[in-house]
Amino acid sequence: MIGVFDSGIGGLSVLAAIARALPRSDLAYLADTAHVPYGDKDDVYIRERVLRIGRYLVERQECRQIVVACNTATAAAVAALRESLPRIIDVVGVEPGVKPAAAASKSGHIAVLATESTARSERLARLIRQHAGPVRVDILPCPGWATKVESLQLDDPDFAETARRLLEPVLAVGADHIVLGCTHYAFLAPVLEPIVAGRAVLVDVADAVARQCQRLAGGTDDEASDRRGSLTLLATAYPERLSRALSVLGVLGQESFAARLASPAILADV
Ligand code: DGL
């Protein structure tokens, strides 16, 4: 069982990539909807949630691989989570795609969209120091964006205007890659794409994370077998939001999901 979690529905973008990469693996997705968003909370709060959820997924759902499908939780707590769990549990974090974006940049200028917590994190500063080289990296905190995705009102024209106002200044001075540094923002691509079109590329790391999960699963997703993996949906509040999100976001349409989902989302006492 692979356990994937996020503060809310954002990590479904990562879950979808994992489901495509590992069609025969059993997946559990936990949305911490009672505590979303994480992005405006302090590190102590986020760490406490991450440790509880990690323990729950290992002890109660028997997960042997944990994917922290949240940049904010990874920045604040992935090291503590690794330390707190038995060594046989693989822990995969999600970090903004600074490295691929900097490597592909022709203008030598990229921008990272992130929650306030990720934007001020030492982990993001270190990622930039280690992987951006001479490329200029602008960090753009996006307060309220994850909450917008949680509301599933993605076609709000006011929000499109907010996004345009934030991006226009960096696009105007040549940023050619915009890194989606929060898993929720993958679902905003239809809003962001028209703003950046012809000037910059949106960078998301979900497929790279899924490849890492595949490597760690090391052949357990036996291609010769016709077994279908299962999908268990868990939420700390409003489980119905998770089921609704899956269909509104178009994730449920994926063949790899539809056949896996045996029951509606379950309320998890974490
Ligand atoms: N989806 C999360 C991330 O990748 C966090 C959103 C939030 O809870 O603020 O950063």
Side-chain angles (χ1 to χ4, degrees):
M1 179 77 97
I2 300 177
V4 182
F5 76 91
D6 178 41
S7 57
I9 62 176
L12 292 175
S13 57
V14 179
L15 182 77
I18 297 172
R20 283 193 297 272
L22 293 164
R24 282 160 289 272
S25 294
D26 294 327
L27 305 175
Y29 183 84
L30 189 146
D32 194 9
T33 27
H35 303 93
V36 68
Y38 286 173
D40 61 0
K41 311 285 196 314
D42 64 34
D43 285 8
V44 174
Y45 182 95
I46 298 168
R47 207 167 298 140
E48 144 84 7
R49 291 308 305 155
V50 167
L51 295 187
R52 286 178 78 118
I53 292 168
R55 207 163 46 234
Y56 172 87
L57 289 172
V58 170
E59 288 173 7
R60 308 270 293 277
Q61 299 294 328
E62 299 182 355
C63 295
R64 288 296 165 266
Q65 191 186 122
I66 304 287
V67 182
V68 185
C70 174
N71 295 260
T72 306
T74 299
V78 76
L81 180 63
R82 277 203 185 99
E83 250 170 54
S84 78
L85 294 176
R87 297 261 303 264
I88 54 154
I89 310 293
D90 289 317
V91 176
V92 177
V94 174
E95 291 191 294
V98 168
K99 190 178 178 184
S105 175
K106 291 200 167 56
S107 65
H109 183 186
I110 66 173
V112 179
L113 303 178
T115 65
E116 294 149 285
S117 172
T118 302
R120 64 168 181 265
S121 70
E122 172 49 30
R123 213 176 155 102
L124 177 59
R126 197 170 61 222
L127 192 71
I128 293 170
R129 277 198 304 277
Q130 289 174 345
H131 297 297
V135 170
R136 168 177 160 189
V137 184
D138 290 337
I139 301 172
L140 306 179
C142 306
W145 285 30
T147 306
K148 190 80 210 162
V149 175
E150 289 290 314
S151 76
L152 293 174
Q153 285 158 2
L154 304 180
D155 50 3
D156 171 358
D158 288 345
F159 175 74
E161 190 43 41
T162 303
R164 182 177 297 282
R165 272 204 303 274
L166 183 80
L167 285 166
E168 204 53 60
V170 292
L171 293 168
V173 293
D176 64 356
H177 285 73
I178 306 295
V179 178
L180 303 178
C182 168
T183 51
H184 279 76
Y185 303 168
F187 296 115
L188 295 173
V191 180
L192 303 177
E193 199 64 67
I195 299 172
V196 305
R199 295 188 283 176
V201 176
L202 300 178
V203 178
D204 181 38
V205 296
D207 286 325
V209 171
R211 282 194 297 277
Q212 168 73 351
C213 295
Q214 214 173 20
R215 273 192 294 275
L216 289 170
T220 51
D221 201 72
D222 178 9
E223 280 177 31
S225 133
D226 56 9
R227 173 182 195 279
R228 278 234 159 251
S230 66
L231 172 62
T232 307
L233 293 178
L234 304 148
T236 54
Y238 323 113
E240 67 289 350
R241 192 195 283 177
L242 199 45
S243 314
R244 198 169 142 243
L246 274 174
S247 51
V248 172
L249 297 170
V251 188
L252 204 54
Q254 281 188 21
E255 205 242 333
S256 51
F257 266 127
R260 279 174 205 247
L261 190 57
S263 56
I266 301 161
L267 196 59
D269 177 23
V270 187

